[in-house]
Amino acid sequence: MWRGFSTGGAKTLFRFGNSAGGRLCVTEGAIDALSLSALEGRRADTLYASTAGGWSPATESAVTLLAGDLDLVVAATDRNSQGEAYADKLRQIASRQGCGFQRLRPIAGDWNEDLQQGREWEEG
């Protein structure tokens, strides 16, 4: 059974960018949201968000609410089993909210490593 850092807690989301842009990119850590934004050139159509490394009922509610107003949810979580678990949760939310879904994976373990190493990312 997967258990997150903030199971049952009240953690929500760190977020910045355009909340009306149509695209929500969700990472695990705030530094990864900032790093992905830098790698993408801070896309004008994107709201970048982070779960702060935890997943709580409040986090799920916040993502669900945001996804209901947007066209695309992008799971930009880490390249590990926890990242895949988060991506699956995000895929389910996108499906329930009737919006598109995309999965981006960093080449290294996380987006901050990719930014430091000047790497790109992988879609799929």
Side-chain angles (χ1 to χ4, degrees):
M1 178 166 119
W2 179 79
R3 292 176 47 150
F5 171 79
S6 184
T7 303
K11 235 177 227 215
T12 57
L13 297 174
F14 163 84
R15 58 190 116 181
F16 69 96
N18 185 357
S19 61
R23 181 175 182 255
L24 172 65
C25 267
V26 182
T27 66
E28 292 172 64
I31 190 68
D32 291 313
L34 293 167
S35 297
L36 178 60
S37 170
L39 285 164
E40 291 190 323
R42 190 158 182 205
R43 289 177 53 155
D45 67 341
T46 300
L47 176 63
Y48 295 91
S50 161
T51 66
W55 192 274
S56 70
T59 303
E60 184 158 349
S61 293
V63 171
T64 299
L65 183 65
L66 289 170
D69 293 333
L70 300 172
D71 302 320
L72 181 66
V73 172
V74 179
T77 54
D78 294 351
R79 182 181 282 276
N80 58 29
S81 60
Q82 180 173 307
E84 292 305 318
Y86 278 22
D88 187 54
K89 288 176 181 288
L90 293 165
R91 182 180 290 108
Q92 291 172 29
I93 290 171
S95 177
R96 285 194 310 266
Q97 294 300 95
C99 59
F101 177 81
Q102 180 182 25
R103 174 72 168 111
L104 295 180
R105 289 179 186 84
I107 298 298
D110 64 42
W111 297 107
N112 191 47
E113 284 181 69
D114 277 9
L115 181 63
Q116 290 174 346
Q117 296 172 11
R119 293 182 172 172
E120 293 296 322
W121 58 90
E122 182 176 289
E123 187 175 334

